[in-house]
Amino acid sequence: MTTSLEWTELDSRAVDTARILAADAVERAGSGHPGTAISLAPLAYLLYQKVMTGDPSDPGWRGRDRFVLSAGHASLVQYAQLFLAGYGLEVEDLAATRTEGGRTPAHPEYGHTAGVECTTGPLGAGVANAVGFAMAARRDRALLDPDAADGTSVFDRTVYCVAGDGCMQEGVAAEASSLAGTQKLGNLILIYDDNRITIEGGTQISFTEDVMARYAAYGWDVHHVDWTHGGQGYAEDLEALYAALRAAKQVTDRPSFIRLTTVIGWSLPTKAGHHSIHGARLGAEELAGLKVALGFDPTRSFQVDPEVLAHTRRNAADRAAAARQVWDARFDSWRQEHPDKAVLLDRLTSGGLPDELPAALPSFPVGMMSTRAASGAVLTAIADAVPELWGGSADLAGSNHTSMRGQSSFLPPERSNEEFTGDYNGRTLHFGIREHAMGNIVNGIAMSGTTRPYGGTYLVFSDYMRAAVRLAALQKAPSIFVWTHDSIAVGEDGPTHQPVEQIAALRAIPGLDVIRPMDANETAHAWAQALANDDRPSAIILSRQDLPTVDRGPGACAPAEHMARGGYTLLEASTGSPQVVLIGTGSEVDIALSARDRLEEDGVPTRVVSMPCLEWFDNQPQEYRAEVLPQGTLRVAIEAGVRMGWREYVGDGGAIVSVDRFGESAPGPRLYEKYGITPDAVVDTVRTALGEVTYDVRPSRA
């Protein structure tokens, strides 16, 4: 940024062009959010044309700053600037806003529109994404350029986020902003569009807090730019805004918050400041009045003066060229001075796994171990081999086993406590009790494209994260979610902490791999496969209670690496031609193995299939799936959760042993017995399905 703002008449005309384009796009679509796009056009133009570093010809250039539009409904704020700067959008794309096949969807979508860094829409999530982007930048520097002086690394960058009143009301933004203050993320600048309007009207009916005071309490650097001038008259003081952005950029020991007080839809002749323009088109009369007021032809749509477009695209290209000349030279020097780090960066950029991973992956002996403990052992074992891997929990590191032993915490050193040593180079993340923010922060880190983050909590609290997990799947972000305490075996903590419907609900999210390993060795390979899948998120679901680590030698169970196919024959029927196939996941595979022993003793040839991931299994060839789950057999699924989703695998003639009610406070083994998740119950279910007389040991749903 230069010390003073250079502004011309062409810049002013370009801002007004952005307003008109937004208004025309919503009018053409018949729906949308024109108000914020109109009043924030000066801010967006200032960022894209005067402040942020980027390259329209190479939107993924590593030296760029990052921009997140948390108020994603105002997508035309960003689309208009991407068009003016030359990121590949043209007038035709703006005219096709919110239409099938267009490059300008209703809300910004990552991978769909060049220049969009993450998918936003659910309010507040973008704020948390931006915190993740800022944390990722700091981690990139620590991983790849740890000895560089402050402000000198080629991996330094600034993250800019624009949020609105809705974002400020959503809890996820508060969670993430609080953590950003603790982390002292001096590379994050959040601009709050304080227009005091939401869909229902003026925010005084529900939102009256002092947001600046809140952010000051979080430990942020705060600024206020008031374009209403205390209600004395509206003037878009770009000099003041530019000065606030410059001041924020110079603060490096804490994030910065700029409250920009505006009037929604400013420039409109009669509707400026009215909530009706928040989420609806202006109407022909108001639109024509806006065009006349700004000096545009009211009979033309999508009017762009050639000299304006030439000016904005030339300015963006010139700024990019100047920035790249400096950055590219520094980057080349960095590569020459740090050849080992350059090799690492090349691997991280290509998405490949380290050659050292297979040898680092632990193998567990026969014995008893919870899969959460096994997961922690895996993380510790592979830490050196996979330096890009880092993460933590929502205040549950000890319970989730998400800390890599020997690794310091990603924290300002002065935040250390007796248990955790803070270090800017650390790899253990502490999200605090902020599950929703954790999910979106993990997504932001994952979308940054260099490191691989994970975040953990109890499975039942995945409900707090669901919106973030859905966004991970929507963006194909390689986030890894670690959820432990996976069933009613949680026991005495009671039904509030005992998940029953969560696994089925997570499997309903398209594009999410839900992985529930049966023992320690499956857990190791679950991590390896999750890391290998860099085009979608993974959920690793783990037990609290100890489970048998089965013998996988000759004549015993099949090798654990077979779990990468999602489902496999763990133990074949004695005859090699099963009459019954028992399908288990997680802790219930051991129950299936015990039930198989009894059925085999009774002369019923029984196969046990471990099915850790339905999504992986569904992607196998039909021939393989038919081989594992052959027609003509009685198939019985066993899972300590609701039965939803299993009928497809067992067929109409099959059976499901499940828990279709909430639990209660009692020891886990007692609940498994009471609710019929036992070998006896499985055997009983098989006999009933085969037509033998028996009794039902499961309780009614009453």
Side-chain angles (χ1 to χ4, degrees):
M1 296 176 64
T2 57
T3 55
S4 61
L5 176 62
E6 298 177 2
W7 195 266
T8 69
E9 288 298 322
L10 280 176
D11 291 321
S12 295
R13 184 67 171 178
V15 169
D16 289 341
T17 298
R19 301 187 211 263
I20 295 300
L21 291 173
D24 276 337
V26 174
E27 201 71 18
R28 173 73 60 86
S31 64
H33 297 79
T36 299
I38 291 170
S39 51
L40 283 193
L43 164 65
Y45 185 84
L46 186 67
L47 289 174
Y48 273 89
Q49 293 285 334
K50 309 292 184 179
V51 175
M52 294 193 303
T53 299
D55 185 355
S57 69
D58 183 8
W61 172 47
R62 185 167 296 281
R64 72 193 186 280
D65 289 330
R66 304 294 196 268
F67 175 78
V68 178
L69 182 65
S70 186
H73 58 277
S75 56
L76 286 158
V77 168
Q78 186 171 23
Y79 294 154
Q81 299 309 319
L82 295 176
F83 159 67
L84 290 173
Y87 277 83
L89 293 183
E90 300 298 342
V91 167
E92 297 77 21
D93 296 304
L94 298 176
T97 295
R98 303 171 73 92
T99 62
E100 181 183 3
R103 292 195 290 173
T104 50
H107 298 84
E109 295 181 23
Y110 174 78
H112 193 86
T113 308
V116 171
E117 302 284 0
C118 60
T119 298
T120 58
L123 294 177
V127 174
N129 289 154
V131 173
F133 280 124
M135 292 169 68
R138 180 179 286 176
R139 177 62 189 151
D140 283 356
R141 174 199 178 94
L143 180 63
L144 298 166
D145 201 14
D147 299 325
D150 289 346
T152 66
S153 174
V154 290
F155 299 102
D156 290 334
R157 54 187 179 265
T158 303
V159 180
Y160 296 88
C161 179
V162 172
D165 284 298
C167 298
M168 293 298 100
Q169 294 175 55
E170 287 285 0
V172 63
E175 292 178 22
S177 298
S178 175
L179 182 60
T182 297
Q183 285 285 354
K184 303 176 71 172
L185 296 175
N187 57 350
L188 173 61
I189 299 175
L190 172 60
I191 302 121
Y192 160 42
D193 176 29
D194 169 34
N195 64 34
R196 303 161 307 286
I197 290 292
T198 56
I199 290 175
E200 291 186 352
T203 55
Q204 67 269 22
I205 63 175
S206 61
F207 185 54
T208 57
E209 69 187 48
D210 185 337
V211 181
M212 282 186 68
R214 169 154 63 100
Y215 273 80
Y218 289 151
W220 288 53
D221 164 54
V222 297
H223 305 262
H224 185 202
V225 178
D226 183 3
W227 283 354
T228 73
H229 300 275
Q232 299 305 305
Y234 200 84
E236 294 168 334
D237 190 344
L238 289 164
E239 291 279 0
L241 179 56
Y242 187 74
L245 288 164
R246 284 191 65 246
K249 184 73 179 289
Q250 293 167 3
V251 175
T252 60
D253 62 347
R254 50 191 165 147
S256 292
F257 178 84
I258 300 174
R259 174 189 173 197
L260 177 63
T261 300
T262 65
V263 170
I264 191 171
W266 180 258
S267 299
L268 290 172
T270 68
K271 293 185 177 181
H274 197 272
H275 70 91
S276 63
I277 59 168
H278 172 85
R281 61 184 180 178
L282 304 177
E285 183 177 348
E286 189 75 6
L287 178 57
L290 173 65
K291 292 179 178 179
V292 169
L294 297 180
F296 286 74
D297 184 347
T299 67
R300 293 177 61 186
S301 295
F302 301 99
Q303 179 181 343
V304 180
D305 300 339
E307 62 271 23
V308 168
L309 189 60
H311 168 70
T312 58
R313 292 191 173 179
R314 181 175 59 252
N315 181 68
D318 289 348
R319 292 182 70 243
R324 290 205 68 145
Q325 183 177 10
V326 175
W327 189 91
D328 289 351
R330 293 172 58 209
F331 184 65
D332 290 341
S333 296
W334 171 83
R335 291 188 70 94
Q336 293 174 11
E337 294 168 7
H338 304 88
D340 56 334
K341 297 293 187 182
V343 170
L344 173 59
L345 177 61
D346 291 342
R347 179 179 66 77
L348 298 180
T349 303
S350 70
L353 287 175
D355 294 337
E356 299 84 356
L357 178 58
L361 208 64
S363 178
F364 296 92
V366 172
M368 297 294 292
M369 178 182 259
S370 68
T371 51
R372 65 169 175 162
S375 177
V378 172
L379 288 172
T380 298
I382 67 175
D384 290 340
V386 192
E388 65 269 31
L389 183 63
W390 60 315
S393 289
D395 198 52
L396 292 170
S399 285
N400 292 156
H401 291 262
T402 49
S403 296
M404 303 175 188
R405 285 192 296 275
Q407 301 292 332
S408 57
S409 294
F410 181 84
L411 273 177
E414 63 270 25
R415 306 295 197 205
S416 303
N417 64 16
E418 294 179 0
E419 289 76 26
F420 298 99
T421 300
D423 184 341
Y424 284 119
N425 296 341
R427 295 171 65 181
T428 299
L429 287 168
H430 305 284
F431 294 100
I433 307 167
R434 303 181 180 98
E435 293 89 352
H436 192 179
M438 175 177 68
N440 284 290
I441 290 169
V442 166
N443 289 346
I445 295 171
M447 299 306 293
S448 290
T450 305
T451 61
R452 293 297 301 273
Y454 61 86
T457 186
Y458 295 161
L459 176 59
V460 76
F461 299 139
S462 65
D463 288 341
Y464 283 157
M465 304 173 61
R466 186 175 180 84
V469 178
R470 184 177 186 273
L471 283 170
L474 185 61
Q475 299 174 92
K476 300 181 180 180
S479 305
I480 300 176
F481 305 106
V482 181
W483 291 313
T484 69
H485 296 57
D486 66 346
S487 71
I488 57 171
V490 171
E492 291 85 352
D493 282 343
T496 61
H497 282 55
Q498 295 168 1
V500 290
E501 78 277 22
Q502 278 72 22
I503 296 175
L506 290 165
R507 287 177 179 146
I509 298 177
L512 174 67
D513 293 342
V514 180
I515 313 159
R516 193 167 179 240
M518 63 162 286
D519 71 354
N521 286 309
E522 272 200 3
T523 302
H525 288 280
W527 271 105
Q529 193 62 32
L531 288 168
N533 295 338
D534 62 359
D535 60 349
R536 57 192 183 275
S538 300
I540 301 178
I541 297 178
L542 306 166
S543 74
R544 176 197 191 190
Q545 74 275 25
D546 285 345
L547 301 175
T549 302
V550 300
D551 181 6
R552 295 180 184 270
C557 293
E561 52 263 36
H562 290 187
M563 67 92 63
R565 305 196 76 168
Y568 66 103
T569 298
L570 177 69
L571 194 59
E572 185 55 281
S574 57
T575 63
S577 180
Q579 181 182 2
V580 174
V581 177
L582 302 180
I583 311 165
T585 72
S587 51
E588 287 73 72
V589 176
D590 178 56
I591 292 172
L593 289 169
S594 296
R596 173 194 178 275
D597 291 344
R598 286 189 49 186
L599 290 167
E600 288 278 352
E601 289 174 0
D602 292 344
V604 180
T606 303
R607 169 188 294 178
V608 173
V609 168
S610 177
M611 188 76 78
C613 182
L614 299 183
E615 293 77 21
W616 296 347
F617 185 73
D618 289 346
N619 285 330
Q620 299 302 312
Q622 191 276 333
E623 295 79 8
Y624 175 79
R625 288 182 279 120
E627 177 186 329
V628 174
L629 302 178
Q631 294 292 326
T633 61
L634 171 64
R635 286 166 277 165
V636 180
I638 312 159
E639 188 166 59
V642 297
R643 64 183 56 212
M644 183 182 298
W646 280 110
R647 181 59 59 189
E648 175 183 348
Y649 300 91
V650 301
D652 290 340
I656 304 167
V657 177
S658 57
V659 177
D660 293 284
R661 53 159 290 178
F662 293 120
E664 58 187 287
S665 295
R670 170 59 188 147
L671 294 178
Y672 264 56
E673 180 182 358
K674 181 174 182 178
Y675 297 163
I677 308 297
T678 64
D680 285 347
V682 173
V683 170
D684 193 65
T685 298
V686 169
R687 288 174 175 166
T688 299
L690 293 176
E692 300 180 15
V693 178
T694 186
Y695 58 92
D696 189 352
V697 299
R698 288 173 293 174
S700 69
R701 297 192 192 187

